[in-house]
Amino acid sequence: MTLPHEAETAAPESGPERSPAGPGGAGSASGRSPQGAERTAAAPSDAENRSAPEETPRRAPGPAEAPTPGEATTTKADHAKPAKPAKPAAGVRRGRKAFWLALALLATLLLLALVSAGTGAYRIPTADVLASAQHRLGLGGAPLDRVGESVLWNVRLPRVVLALLVGASLGCAGALMQGVFGNPLAEPGVIGISAGAAVGAVAAIGLGLSFFGNWTITVCAFVAGLITVSSVYLLSRNGGKTEVVTLILTGIAVNAFAGALIGLFVFFADSGQVNQITFWQLGSLAQATWPKVLAVLPCAVPGLLVAPFYARRLDLLSLGERPARHLGIDVERLRLALILVVALLTAAAVAVAGVITFIGLLVPHLLRMANGPGHRFLVPGSALAGAVVLVAGDLAARTLAQPAELPLGVLTALIGSPFFFWLLRRTRRKQGGWA
């Protein structure tokens, strides 16, 4: 009687299909039994079967499966560790930085205004300035003597307020120009708006125009500035787009033409008119009065109040004209509106202070380096910083060469020209050349 496992073992010996083929089979050549050959032949398959589970990805434990004790201990330890506080987002940090920067600019402006109001040939202490201001506002304090009150309220404070308005107008106009044309070199003085507005003011002086009373020079400066900026804008357009290089070159030509017109008015003017025209060319706040402050307010204040409402659209325009159009921005309409605002601000500044250059170029760049290119802070911040710069510049112009007074436009040009040259070289180095 043959047992079943013996029959299975004997089957390879009797079956012709299980025996090695040919006379040189593996079983006879190696001298091993057929069972050993079978085990040898099956070894690779076993190795493959053993390695198969390693190649198969391990299944993640389900929610019903309990973790091992070691895993449970690790999880409790991880939960016991205190969570690290999350760092504030970049937008939050930038917003905080913008807030503190604006606060610092405002505090600096107030301090400079107090110092400027008390500094000059007739010295007034800061405490007396504050006491006189409190007395005028009905908050206590005490008035100064007759000479001190006259100097403070009829000479110094109109000049400080006018410097504040002119600096804010020029700084805000520069930020708007750079945002509209997407170029850091755009500035009202560079593209000829200041010179064009000065032509209108000089024409009103040279021709003796007075049809609007105290507003005559302001109206003429505004109209001439608007005509100038419209001409520069139309001449720099090509194929429905505004070319920045053509814009700057056109501004250079307009500045030259405006200088020729101013020289022509000087040639035909009398000595008194020549002195007034020289005031426009050099730029100064020496003739500041409260009527001039009131004359510039209707132009400067609306422009300064309207400009921040265009900040979001300027941020979208900085992405490029095509993306801005896809986001719903009418680029040409935006440019025309902002150019009108720039002409309003620049004409207001030029009408009362003459040609003061580089404020609109220098101030936005300094703020952009400090807090980034976002226009929601850049536009109002440029107005605030422009006021700080011009109040400080006027104080320096009055005190550096006492008893004489330096022309404010000359002082700002002396400071702004090297900065403009550095900016040109920096831009060229970043772009790898102008070609």
Side-chain angles (χ1 to χ4, degrees):
M1 180 178 177
T2 305
L3 297 175
H5 67 274
E6 292 177 354
E8 288 178 350
T9 308
E13 296 179 353
S14 59
E17 294 179 358
R18 301 289 182 93
S19 61
S28 59
S30 59
R32 292 193 297 256
S33 63
Q35 292 89 339
E38 239 181 345
R39 285 194 297 270
T40 305
S45 298
D46 295 338
E48 291 175 2
N49 292 336
R50 285 193 301 271
S51 62
E54 296 177 359
E55 297 175 358
T56 306
R58 295 184 178 179
R59 183 174 60 87
E65 296 178 13
T68 61
E71 292 174 347
T73 305
T74 306
T75 305
K76 290 179 180 178
D78 291 340
H79 284 296
K81 292 180 180 178
K84 293 182 179 180
K87 293 183 179 180
V92 176
R93 291 197 302 269
R94 188 171 294 141
R96 292 175 182 174
K97 188 176 182 181
F99 171 77
W100 289 112
L101 186 59
L103 195 62
L105 287 172
L106 184 60
T108 304
L109 180 61
L110 292 176
L111 180 62
L112 281 172
L114 287 175
V115 173
S116 181
T119 303
Y122 187 89
R123 180 76 180 176
I124 303 175
T126 303
D128 293 345
V129 173
L130 290 174
S132 179
Q134 289 176 354
H135 177 72
R136 290 290 181 110
L137 294 174
L139 301 175
L144 304 175
D145 55 47
R146 184 176 59 85
V147 176
E149 285 284 308
S150 177
V151 169
L152 178 62
W153 291 97
N154 297 328
V155 179
R156 300 272 175 81
L157 287 181
R159 186 162 184 165
V160 171
V161 174
L162 199 60
L164 190 151
L165 289 174
V166 171
S169 299
L170 292 176
C172 184
L176 292 178
M177 287 293 294
Q178 293 175 12
V180 165
F181 296 106
N183 192 283
L185 305 181
E187 192 258 350
V190 173
I191 65 174
I193 301 178
S194 298
V199 168
V202 167
I205 294 171
L207 299 176
L209 303 179
S210 60
F211 46 83
F212 285 117
N214 291 333
W215 302 85
T216 303
I217 296 176
T218 304
V219 171
C220 291
F222 172 70
V223 172
L226 185 60
I227 293 173
T228 302
V229 73
S230 301
S231 303
V232 171
Y233 179 73
L234 293 175
L235 290 173
S236 61
R237 287 177 58 81
N238 184 18
K241 297 181 180 180
T242 305
E243 296 181 350
V244 177
V245 176
T246 308
L247 177 77
I248 295 176
L249 294 176
T250 305
I252 293 173
V254 168
N255 276 322
F257 184 70
L261 289 178
I262 291 174
L264 191 63
F265 282 115
V266 170
F267 178 77
F268 288 106
D270 56 27
S271 58
Q273 293 173 340
V274 167
N275 292 333
Q276 286 183 293
I277 292 174
T278 304
F279 162 78
W280 297 111
Q281 286 180 305
L282 298 179
S284 176
L285 296 174
Q287 300 180 12
T289 58
W290 287 118
K292 288 190 176 183
V293 173
L294 295 177
V296 76
L297 275 177
C299 293
V301 172
L304 292 173
L305 292 178
V306 167
F309 290 99
Y310 290 94
R312 179 180 174 275
R313 278 171 276 186
L314 286 173
D315 285 337
L316 296 178
L317 184 60
S318 64
L319 302 175
E321 290 189 16
R322 183 174 297 178
R325 288 193 181 97
H326 287 313
L327 293 171
I329 302 298
D330 189 344
V331 175
E332 295 305 319
R333 184 177 178 181
L334 175 64
R335 280 180 172 166
L336 286 174
L338 289 179
I339 284 174
L340 182 63
V341 174
V342 168
L344 188 69
L345 293 172
T346 306
V350 171
V352 296
V355 180
I356 299 177
T357 56
F358 292 105
I359 297 292
L361 178 68
L362 185 144
V363 168
H365 273 286
L366 295 178
L367 291 184
R368 199 176 285 112
M369 292 176 184
N371 194 65
H375 288 86
R376 279 182 290 184
F377 169 76
L378 186 63
V379 173
S382 295
L384 193 58
V388 170
V389 170
L390 204 63
V391 170
D394 183 60
L395 178 61
R398 290 192 291 113
T399 57
L400 288 179
Q402 285 183 336
E405 181 176 325
L406 295 174
L408 185 57
V410 173
L411 188 62
T412 58
L414 286 174
I415 298 173
S417 297
F419 182 82
F420 184 69
F421 177 71
W422 170 80
L423 179 63
L424 283 173
R425 291 188 59 85
R426 180 173 177 265
T427 306
R428 182 183 179 185
R429 185 169 58 250
K430 280 191 172 183
Q431 294 180 355
W434 298 109

